[in-house]
C-alpha cells in the first residue's frame, strides 16, 4: 500500500466527504457574484422606466428614453450571460475538487 491509499477521507456527520476548497476558489466565486451584483443600481433605472405605466403616456419621453434603455439592457444581458456561464464553470470546478484526506 502506498501513502495515498492509507489516508482517510474526512467526512461530515452525514458521512459526506469534505472537498478541498481554497481561499482563492472562494475569492473567484465571490468576485463573479459581485460583478453580477454590480448591476443592481443600473437595473433599478430600467425598472423605473418600464414600471412607469402612468396615464397619459408621454410618447416623446418614452421614445427618447427607450433608445438608451435598450442599450443598457443589451449590455446587461450580454454581461449576465458571460457571468452566469463563468459562475456555472466555477461551481462545477468546486464540485470536481478532490476530497480532504488526513
Amino acid at each position: 500500500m502506498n501513502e495515498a491509499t492509507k489516508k482517510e477521507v474526512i467526512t461530515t456527520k452525514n458521512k459526506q466527504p469534505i472537498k478541498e476548497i481554497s481561499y482563492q476558489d472562494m475569492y473567484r466565486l465571490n468576485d463573479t457574484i459581485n460583478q453580477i451584483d454590480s448591476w443592481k443600481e443600473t437595473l433599478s433605472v430600467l425598472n423605473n422606466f418600464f414600471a412607469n405605466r402612468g396615464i397619459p403616456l408621454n410618447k416623446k419621453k418614452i421614445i427618447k428614453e427607450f433608445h438608451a434603455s435598450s442599450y443598457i439592457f443589451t449590455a446587461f444581458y450580454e454581461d449576465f450571460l458571460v457571468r452566469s456561464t463563468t459562475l456555472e464553470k466555477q461551481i462545477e470546478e468546486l464540485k470536481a475538487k478532490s476530497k480532504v484526506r488526513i
Side-chain angles (χ1 to χ4, degrees):
M1 284 182 147
N2 62 23
E3 179 96 11
T5 58
K6 291 181 184 177
K7 293 184 178 182
E8 289 183 37
V9 175
I10 299 175
T11 59
T12 63
K13 290 179 184 178
N14 298 342
K15 305 292 184 202
Q16 297 296 316
I18 298 174
K19 302 263 185 177
E20 290 180 1
I21 299 175
S22 69
Y23 181 77
Q24 182 180 4
D25 294 329
M26 290 185 292
Y27 183 78
R28 285 180 45 227
L29 194 60
N30 188 51
D31 189 41
T32 304
I33 291 170
N34 286 338
Q35 290 170 354
I36 293 170
D37 193 49
S38 71
W39 280 100
K40 280 183 180 178
E41 191 173 324
T42 305
L43 289 176
S44 70
V45 172
L46 279 180
N47 186 46
N48 289 338
F49 172 73
F50 289 112
N52 186 9
R53 295 193 170 101
I55 297 182
L57 295 175
N58 184 340
K59 292 179 184 176
K60 288 182 182 179
K61 182 180 178 188
I62 290 172
I63 291 170
K64 184 178 178 181
E65 292 177 358
F66 179 81
H67 182 72
S69 296
S70 69
Y71 275 101
I72 292 170
F73 177 76
T74 301
F76 163 72
Y77 184 68
E78 290 172 358
D79 188 63
F80 180 78
L81 291 176
V82 169
R83 301 291 166 229
S84 61
T85 302
T86 301
L87 195 57
E88 287 173 2
K89 286 179 184 176
Q90 289 172 339
I91 290 171
E92 288 303 317
E93 287 174 7
L94 292 177
K95 286 180 182 178
K97 289 279 187 174
S98 60
K99 312 310 189 262
V100 173
R101 298 182 183 276
I102 55 170

